[in-house]
């Protein structure tokens, strides 16, 4: 997960940082698939995932979040190494 302070929003920092994590996972760690999620209503995280070419996989309703003492809807997305390589033309 990530958190960017409001004064730094709209600078692309979350997307840039997440792109580097994805690149490291696929290039250096040889990971085959990355899953990520976002809670319903978190459009900024959806935007970051969309920019990195994650594809919606499924939604889980009534997910307990004990740290926040809350129940939320979780949207899960996926990106495979093959899809990433196709998009970024990297080895």
């Amino acid at each position: 997960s990530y958190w960017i302070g409001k004064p730094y929003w709209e600078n692309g920092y979350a997307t840039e940082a997440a792109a580097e994590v994805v690149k490291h996972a696929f290039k250096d760690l040889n990971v085959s698939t990355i899953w990520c999620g976002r809670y319903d209503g978190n459009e900024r995280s959806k935007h970051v995932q969309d920019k990195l070419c994650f594809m919606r996989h499924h939604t889980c309703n009534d997910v307990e979040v004990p740290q926040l003492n809350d129940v939320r809807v979780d949207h899960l997305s996926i990106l495979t190494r093959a899809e990433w390589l196709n998009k970024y033309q990297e080895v």
Side-chain angles (χ1 to χ4, degrees), residues 3-11 44:
W3 180 88
I4 303 293
K6 195 169 185 175
Y8 304 100
W9 289 3
E10 304 298 328
N11 289 301
R44 291 186 183 276

Side-chain angles (χ1 to χ4, degrees), residues 17-31:
E20 288 300 316
V21 170
V22 167
K23 181 179 176 180
H24 174 64
F26 287 137
K27 284 187 76 175
D28 302 328
L29 302 177
N30 203 29
V31 169

Side-chain angles (χ1 to χ4, degrees), residues 22-23 25-27 30-34 52-55 78-91:
V22 167
K23 181 179 176 180
F26 287 137
K27 284 187 76 175
N30 203 29
V31 169
S32 64
T33 306
I34 299 174
L52 297 177
C53 300
F54 279 83
M55 300 299 296
I78 187 171
L79 180 63
T80 67
R81 185 173 191 275
E83 291 164 339
W84 180 80
L85 285 169
N86 185 50
K87 171 69 178 171
Y88 292 99
Q89 303 289 316
E90 294 192 25
V91 179

